[in-house]
């Protein structure tokens, strides 16, 4: 596969110490345009752009992009890992117990207040992960309540 045609994405990948490939560029773009996609949905998006790519290659690229800080991995309880392009801030998520919808939630008060733990046990905390659970508007109105 050839390298990305988008010079900004290519520069971003190089800046993160990653080799620039069409698949990595397409994957990064798919994650950023998507809404908390799982690996299978990301693979489908990449295939539409560059042709064949194995699911294993998608997982390897997601691992590299996550390690480089270009993608964030979210692991909702009882479901597959999801990925997002919103990185570098301390936001959280709300998860529908019925359909599995996942949405971003900013910290409620001030600048990253959840980074101040009541007891940090000596850790230097740089991130907090909070997942609020409930029913999305569609599931609330339909009366559905099964947990994913």
């Amino acid at each position: 596969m050839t390298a990305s045609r988008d010079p900004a994405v290519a520069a971003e990948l190089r800046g993160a110490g990653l080799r620039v490939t069409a698949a990595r560029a397409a994957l990064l773009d798919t994650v950023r345009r998507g809404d908390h996609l799982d690996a299978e949905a990301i693979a489908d998006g990449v295939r539409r752009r560059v042709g064949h790519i194995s699911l294993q290659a998608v997982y390897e690229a997601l691992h590299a992009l996550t390690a480089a800080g270009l993608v964030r991995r979210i692991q909702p309880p009882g479901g597959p890992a999801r990925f997002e392009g919103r990185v570098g801030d301390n936001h959280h998520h709300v998860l529908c117990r019925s359909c599995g919808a996942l949405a971003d939630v900013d910290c409620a008060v001030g600048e990253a207040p959840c980074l101040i733990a009541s007891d940090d046990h000596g850790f230097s905390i740089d991130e907090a992960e909070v997942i609020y659970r409930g029913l999305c508007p569609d599931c609330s109105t339909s009366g559905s309540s099964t947990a994913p």
Side-chain angles (χ1 to χ4, degrees):
M1 287 181 225
T2 59
S4 169
R5 291 186 192 123
D6 184 341
V9 170
E12 193 173 3
L13 289 167
R14 272 191 219 97
L18 298 172
R19 192 167 52 94
V20 178
T21 66
R24 279 190 179 153
L27 191 146
L28 185 56
D29 188 54
T30 299
V31 169
R32 288 180 173 167
R33 290 176 186 260
D35 187 20
H36 304 98
L37 302 174
D38 65 18
E40 299 240 356
I42 293 167
D44 289 343
V46 173
R47 287 180 189 123
R48 282 193 294 276
R49 294 165 192 240
V50 299
H52 177 74
I53 186 169
S54 70
L55 191 54
Q56 182 62 37
V58 168
Y59 276 112
E60 289 170 4
L62 284 168
H63 177 74
L65 292 172
T66 301
L70 298 176
V71 168
R72 182 175 177 191
R73 181 181 191 271
I74 305 137
Q75 183 66 58
R82 311 260 194 103
F83 298 87
E84 69 178 346
R86 184 176 172 185
V87 297
D89 68 350
N90 190 50
H91 71 279
H92 308 297
H93 297 92
V94 60
L95 174 67
C96 180
R97 291 183 188 275
S98 182
C99 69
L102 188 67
D104 291 338
V105 176
D106 291 322
C107 285
V109 180
E111 186 177 332
C114 47
L115 292 180
I116 302 167
S118 61
D119 183 355
D120 64 16
H121 299 277
F123 283 68
S124 175
I125 298 172
D126 61 11
E127 182 180 17
E129 187 171 313
V130 174
I131 297 179
Y132 300 96
R133 292 179 193 89
L135 295 177
C136 69
D138 289 340
C139 292
S140 291
T141 58
S142 72
S144 179
S145 65
T146 52

